[in-house]
Amino acid sequence: MGIYYSCFLILSILTVVVLSSMYITLLRYENRNTHRTTVTVRPNPIAVKTKRDRQIQKLQRIQRKGLSSPSCPHVLIFTHPRSGSTLTGHIIQHVHESFYAFEPLRYLSESLEKRERIVFLNRTERSYQESDTIWMKAEILYRWFTCDFDRVNLKDLSSMFIGAYSTNLNEYAACVRRIHIPTKTVPECIPLLKGQCNRAGVRIIKTIRLNIESVELLLELMPNLKVIYLTRDPRGKLASQMALKPAEWDIVTFVAKDLCELLIKETDFILKLREKYPQRLKI
């Protein structure tokens, strides 16, 4: 019995020694590879940048040109059609000394979808790719929030929505409507818009034409930005939408499926953003 116990003890010790030796050898091998990678491999920092990093860099270049975000609070209402956002915006714009822009991405979104050349107030023109949509929309909203209208597209600066829904911009809207030639009237009237924007105690924008990824870029770029993600029960939203377009009832199943998938995607994204910006994002 004692012989068997001795043999078992010796085998156990040998097993522990062998396994320990293998483990130490493995660690040395990993450390050697790690050291070799650290010393010899120098990845190009530009090559490893993500698409989001490049988008943020583009917007940060705008900031460095002197368009830094002022201390004035900013509120972005991000939503979808038939969600009650027009009424919500109408109520919020009555805040004292507010500047309220109703759908400032209306015509920009159409131009981006159609791949049309976009004409800006400073008379420059440019075409954009579909991949530019996220940062381009974020840039235009940033310029509205910072009262820098020179690089805002001319169509949205002469939109019929200004004045019709942004009641605190009636003076500017009346000025633009005097002559229906945007290239002439907008440059003459823009001081009225800038003055209202610069005097505002809070700047509010409502839009249904924004990518959820653009919201993340704006939150990172603008520390004074508050975001309201306004959503509605999809059943009520679809009923309202179909009432406007009865012919689409034949495809309501497909529309409902696409809508629910979009809302689930956006809600998941918003919840993750809220973990990062808990005091700046409300649903």
Side-chain angles (χ1 to χ4, degrees), residues 51-171:
K51 182 179 179 180
R52 179 176 168 278
D53 291 333
R54 293 193 293 271
Q55 292 168 344
I56 291 175
Q57 279 192 335
K58 289 178 180 179
L59 294 178
Q60 287 174 337
R61 283 197 290 270
I62 299 171
Q63 273 190 323
R64 287 195 290 269
K65 292 179 181 179
L67 301 178
S68 58
S69 178
S71 58
C72 172
H74 305 119
V75 179
L76 173 64
I77 304 173
F78 166 53
T79 184
H80 293 284
R82 316 309 300 172
S83 296
S85 60
T86 300
L87 175 60
T88 303
H90 180 71
I91 294 171
I92 292 179
Q93 72 172 311
H94 286 87
V95 173
H96 182 60
E97 294 184 342
S98 67
F99 173 89
Y100 175 63
F102 180 92
E103 298 299 334
L105 300 178
R106 166 72 167 80
Y107 294 105
L108 174 75
S109 298
E110 285 187 0
S111 297
L112 289 172
E113 290 175 3
K114 296 177 182 178
R115 305 288 180 86
E116 297 175 343
R117 291 184 67 81
I118 297 173
V119 181
F120 299 95
L121 177 61
N122 62 3
R123 299 185 183 278
T124 59
E125 297 183 19
R126 185 174 173 183
S127 298
Y128 292 88
Q129 303 297 321
E130 184 178 357
S131 58
D132 298 325
T133 299
I134 292 173
W135 75 263
M136 183 59 190
K137 288 184 176 181
E139 177 186 341
I140 294 299
L141 289 186
Y142 180 82
R143 291 184 183 278
W144 274 90
F145 274 127
T146 54
C147 311
D148 173 51
F149 301 108
D150 288 341
R151 285 284 294 176
V152 171
N153 55 312
L154 203 55
K155 283 185 178 181
D156 281 311
L157 287 172
S158 57
S159 170
M160 63 179 181
F161 291 146
I162 300 178
Y165 295 99
S166 301
T167 56
N168 54 5
L169 302 181
N170 284 334
E171 188 178 3

Side-chain angles (χ1 to χ4, degrees), residues 231-281:
T231 186
R232 180 184 181 184
D233 186 322
R235 294 168 295 183
K237 180 184 181 307
L238 282 174
S240 178
Q241 184 175 331
M242 294 305 168
L244 290 177
K245 300 178 180 179
E248 291 189 358
W249 273 111
D250 293 339
I251 59 171
V252 67
T253 302
F254 303 101
V255 175
K257 181 177 181 294
D258 291 342
L259 173 61
C260 290
E261 288 178 352
L262 175 62
L263 292 178
I264 290 171
K265 173 191 171 184
E266 287 186 349
T267 302
D268 289 342
F269 199 98
I270 287 289
L271 290 175
K272 291 178 182 177
L273 280 181
R274 195 163 65 172
E275 292 178 1
K276 187 175 180 181
Y277 306 103
Q279 304 300 321
R280 299 173 56 195
L281 203 155

Side-chain angles (χ1 to χ4, degrees), residues 69-79 88 92 99-100 141-142 145 201-207 210 214-230 270 273-274 276-283:
S69 178
S71 58
C72 172
H74 305 119
V75 179
L76 173 64
I77 304 173
F78 166 53
T79 184
T88 303
I92 292 179
F99 173 89
Y100 175 63
L141 289 186
Y142 180 82
F145 274 127
V202 58
R203 296 172 192 150
I204 308 165
I205 290 177
K206 193 278 286 187
T207 180
L210 190 62
S214 300
V215 175
E216 182 180 20
L217 293 178
L218 287 168
L219 281 168
E220 185 154 344
L221 191 67
M222 303 175 64
N224 296 315
L225 178 65
K226 308 282 187 179
V227 177
I228 299 173
Y229 178 56
L230 182 64
I270 287 289
L273 280 181
R274 195 163 65 172
K276 187 175 180 181
Y277 306 103
Q279 304 300 321
R280 299 173 56 195
L281 203 155
K282 299 294 182 182
I283 299 178

